[in-house]
């Protein structure tokens, strides 16, 4: 079975605020165990988390072995103060503070560094990316600092330009990567970066009534087109569902992501080989040294 390369163990796929409340006064290990049981039921033995500022993923790493799960975590994600990312991590205002947060991850034996360089898709309007992307020079320095400390870098990033910046900066994986262009895909194909699209986040919201189905289908079709093209260009790719996000259950979310990928390729055996190859790169790079 494939590994889940992008999850949030503290989220429950139903209500973010309620999920946070369960851990505000101390990590509720029952939640972690319930989610690990869901992975165990699906035969999923590798989970790479996106981090949180509640101590949940750090505690989850201590428990994971009981369920036969190889679990990796950045402990918390890192974002610029005032920009998107507060739901999963800690903020910095300058590079000195960023470097201190990287060292904090190291002190907690985090497996990698996760940075947030853009916002998210705004499903309430036109699907555009919220906020402003971090400038290339800043992203490059963030990746450099993390690499100097021996960490691989996982990047929450959307948009053709910002994803291209990651490639130029030498980042190790791009998460989501919505709205990439042909030029960006070509750059990715020539690099060692691994793309984890998390496209089932969109598909799983069809018919939920929360957002426009017309917009969701438009975003989904464009996402599939980009995945299909990335596969043709031999971009390194891996499966990650953003498990724990709205309507994306732990365990089942990965199977949903796989079905989305199956819609993008004719030869399933070739597709499996490609996905396992990308996942192996993640397993080898994103680990505590």
């Amino acid at each position: 079975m494939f590994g889940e390369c992008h999850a949030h163990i503290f989220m429950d796929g139903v209500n973010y605020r309620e999920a946070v409340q369960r851990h505000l006064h101390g990590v509720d290990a029952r939640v972690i165990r319930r989610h690990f049981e869901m992975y165990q039921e699906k035969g999923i033995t590798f989970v790479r988390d996106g981090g949180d500022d509640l101590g949940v993923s750090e505690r989850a790493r201590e428990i994971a072995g009981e369920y036969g799960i190889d679990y990796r975590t950045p402990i918390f994600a890192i974002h610029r103060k005032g920009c998107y990312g507060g739901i999963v991590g800690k903020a910095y205002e300058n590079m000195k503070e960023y470097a201190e947060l990287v060292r904090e991850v190291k002190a907690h034996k985090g497996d990698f560094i996760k940075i947030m360089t853009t916002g998210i898709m705004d499903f309430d309007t036109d699907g555009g990316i919220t906020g402003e992307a971090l400038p290339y020079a800043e992203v490059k320095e963030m990746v450099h600092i993390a690499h100097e400390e021996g960490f691989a870098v996982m990047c929450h990033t959307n948009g053709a330009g910002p994803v291209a910046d990651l490639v130029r900066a030498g980042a190790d994986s791009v998460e989501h990567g919505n709205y990439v262009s042909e030029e960006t895909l070509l750059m990715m194909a020539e690099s060692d970066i691994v793309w984890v699209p998390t496209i089932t986040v969109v598909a799983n919201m069809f018919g939920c009534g929360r957002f426009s189905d017309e917009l969701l289908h438009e975003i989904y079709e464009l996402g599939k087109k980009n995945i299909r093209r990335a596969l043709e260009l031999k971009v390194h790719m891996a499966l990650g569902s953003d498990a724990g996000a709205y309507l994306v259950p732990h365990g089942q979310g990965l199977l949903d992501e796989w079905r989305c990928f199956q819609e993008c390729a004719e030869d399933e055996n070739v597709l499996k080989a490609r996905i396992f190859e990308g996942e192996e790169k993640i397993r080898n790079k994103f680990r505590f040294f």
Side-chain angles (χ1 to χ4, degrees):
M1 182 57 193
F2 302 111
E4 169 61 86
C5 291
H6 189 122
H8 293 281
I9 205 72
F10 82 100
M11 297 184 189
D12 61 8
V14 180
N15 187 301
Y16 167 76
R17 290 182 177 83
E18 289 182 4
V20 169
Q21 285 294 322
R22 295 187 187 102
H23 303 286
L24 274 183
H25 304 294
V27 175
D28 187 344
R30 295 171 300 178
V31 173
I32 298 171
R33 291 183 181 281
R34 184 162 62 249
H35 293 164
F36 278 157
E37 287 169 1
M38 295 165 77
Y39 285 112
Q40 198 175 46
E41 289 171 3
K42 303 298 183 184
I44 297 166
T45 60
F46 177 77
V47 177
R48 184 178 65 145
D49 202 284
D52 63 87
D53 192 23
L54 300 165
V56 183
S57 66
E58 186 170 14
R59 180 73 179 99
R61 186 173 58 184
E62 298 171 358
I63 298 173
E66 297 177 32
Y67 296 85
I69 293 174
D70 180 352
Y71 179 85
R72 315 285 178 83
T73 175
I75 309 296
F76 54 83
I78 304 175
H79 67 283
R80 172 170 275 284
K81 187 175 182 179
C83 297
Y84 178 78
I87 68 169
V88 289
K90 299 185 179 184
Y92 69 92
E93 290 193 70
N94 52 56
M95 284 298 100
K96 179 181 178 181
E97 291 183 359
Y98 169 77
E100 289 172 352
L101 289 174
V102 170
R103 287 192 290 272
E104 183 176 342
V105 171
K106 193 169 190 176
H108 286 265
K109 298 182 178 179
D111 292 293
F112 54 92
I113 296 299
K114 181 184 178 184
I115 63 175
M116 319 288 282
T117 73
T118 71
I120 58 175
M121 288 189 293
D122 187 352
F123 296 114
D124 286 314
T125 56
D126 60 356
I129 308 303
T130 62
E132 295 292 327
L134 297 183
Y136 168 67
E138 186 167 335
V139 173
K140 182 179 180 180
E141 183 64 10
M142 293 168 77
V143 172
H144 172 71
I145 289 171
H147 281 173
E148 284 293 295
E149 292 292 339
F151 288 111
V153 184
M154 173 192 207
C155 307
H156 164 110
T157 305
N158 289 296
V163 172
D165 284 346
L166 297 185
V167 177
R168 286 193 288 265
D172 301 287
S173 81
V174 53
E175 316 299 306
H176 318 307
N178 293 290
Y179 305 136
V180 289
S181 65
E182 174 74 7
E183 180 181 3
T184 305
L185 288 170
L186 287 167
M187 290 177 63
M188 293 166 72
E190 294 173 358
S191 76
D192 207 38
I193 200 166
V194 181
W195 183 22
V196 184
T198 69
I199 192 173
T200 199
V201 168
V202 179
N204 282 20
M205 290 193 292
F206 292 162
C208 73
R210 184 172 176 178
F211 305 111
S212 162
D213 268 3
E214 181 179 356
L215 175 61
L216 291 173
H217 279 281
E218 181 180 317
I219 294 171
Y220 183 62
E221 291 305 318
L222 176 58
K224 286 199 301 179
K225 177 183 177 182
N226 285 334
I227 289 173
R228 191 174 296 115
R229 182 59 176 147
L231 290 169
E232 292 173 352
L233 293 172
K234 293 183 170 51
V235 172
H236 302 296
M237 304 181 77
L239 293 185
S241 69
D242 211 1
Y246 184 55
L247 298 182
V248 185
H250 291 281
Q252 181 60 43
L254 185 64
L255 303 184
D256 296 339
E257 184 76 9
W258 169 237
R259 279 197 291 270
C260 293
F261 265 69
Q262 286 175 304
E263 294 181 25
C264 302
E266 295 182 1
D267 191 323
E268 188 168 308
N269 289 327
V270 171
L271 177 60
K272 284 181 178 179
R274 294 288 310 287
I275 296 304
F276 278 126
E277 181 268 344
E279 181 182 321
E280 188 64 20
K281 294 181 76 67
I282 284 177
R283 285 175 180 256
N284 289 337
K285 280 191 174 186
F286 290 78
R287 63 190 313 153
F288 178 69
F289 49 90

